[in-house]
Amino acid sequence: MSKPTLMVLFTSIAISLSSFSSVAALTLDKSQSSVNFVSTKNQHISEQHTFDNYSGQLDDQGKLTITIDIMSVNTLIPIRNERMQKMFFNMSEYSVATFTAQIDPALTKLQAGELKRTTITGEMTIAGNTAPVSFDVALIGLKNGSINATTVKPTIISTTAFNLDDGVSALQQVAMLQSISKAVPLSFSATFSQ
């Protein structure tokens, strides 16, 4: 085989491998996903909130990365959004929260309609503080290699674990509340598509 022919062959293989790698990575589809958390004030008043802007990727080796834009916190009350951004999340210094995990690569290749239940354990970083967090999720394979992951039950996030208790106290004081719970249920539904 001539050198030019070998060069063409190797180039074709390299391009094919590059294309496979890019196809294998799944990207979070924000239009088909949601991130929700619940706050409880004065012991008995619970309210559901969302983050409206986030991104993520799941590669074929099972590496999962999620990034949440703190600016997108949505409590349906603008002044409360602003207070949470500044006083709780310290957004001027930490504009995003992240979650990273390594999952079984086989779970990234589910067939359409195939359902698996698993626990995803990784590290979450909020306001510069990192702690281990686990989510019990149901995974279902969708068309065209897409995957949906939905929490089976909320994961309780401790504000203490992320050194956020001072922020809780500041919010409680400015809103003149008797209490704000330091246990925050977090749930999500995330669709990853090619």
Side-chain angles (χ1 to χ4, degrees):
M1 189 177 291
S2 67
K3 286 186 177 180
T5 303
L6 281 173
M7 199 60 129
V8 170
L9 178 61
F10 288 139
T11 301
S12 298
I13 291 172
I15 291 173
S16 296
L17 288 174
S18 175
S19 298
F20 176 78
S21 177
S22 63
V23 168
L26 299 174
T27 300
L28 183 65
D29 182 352
K30 191 171 65 174
S31 69
Q32 302 293 322
S33 305
S34 61
V35 179
N36 310 282
F37 67 99
V38 176
S39 66
T40 301
K41 61 186 179 183
N42 296 341
Q43 296 186 333
H44 304 298
I45 302 173
S46 295
E47 297 171 284
Q48 182 167 292
H49 316 297
T50 64
F51 288 100
D52 294 337
N53 192 28
Y54 37 84
S55 60
Q57 191 170 62
L58 175 62
D59 69 21
D60 61 344
Q61 299 303 308
K63 183 180 178 180
L64 173 66
T65 304
I66 304 292
T67 301
I68 297 175
D69 179 5
I70 296 302
M71 184 74 176
S72 74
V73 65
N74 187 355
T75 68
L76 300 180
I77 300 175
I79 186 62
R80 186 164 59 186
N81 294 346
E82 184 178 339
R83 287 171 176 172
M84 290 192 75
Q85 292 161 3
K86 294 180 178 179
M87 303 171 71
F88 183 70
F89 290 111
N90 192 12
M91 192 182 71
S92 63
E93 293 187 37
Y94 306 101
S95 61
V96 299
T98 61
F99 177 73
T100 58
Q102 179 66 44
I103 69 172
D104 182 351
L107 296 176
T108 70
K109 304 173 179 67
L110 300 180
Q111 298 298 310
E114 185 178 2
L115 179 66
K116 296 286 186 181
R117 182 169 173 173
T118 190
T119 298
I120 297 176
T121 299
E123 290 191 334
M124 182 171 285
T125 300
I126 305 173
N129 300 288
T130 301
V133 174
S134 295
F135 296 97
D136 291 332
V137 300
L139 300 171
I140 186 167
L142 306 174
K143 293 180 180 179
N144 303 318
S146 298
I147 299 171
N148 176 266
T150 299
T151 45
V152 176
K153 60 183 179 181
T155 287
I156 306 301
I157 302 297
S158 165
T159 61
T160 303
F162 294 94
N163 197 29
L164 295 171
D165 288 353
D166 287 347
V168 172
S169 297
L171 290 175
Q172 181 178 328
Q173 182 175 1
V174 74
M176 296 183 288
L177 299 173
Q178 296 175 4
S179 66
I180 297 178
S181 176
K182 296 177 181 178
V184 182
L186 175 66
S187 59
F188 64 81
S189 177
T191 295
F192 293 86
S193 303
Q194 291 181 352

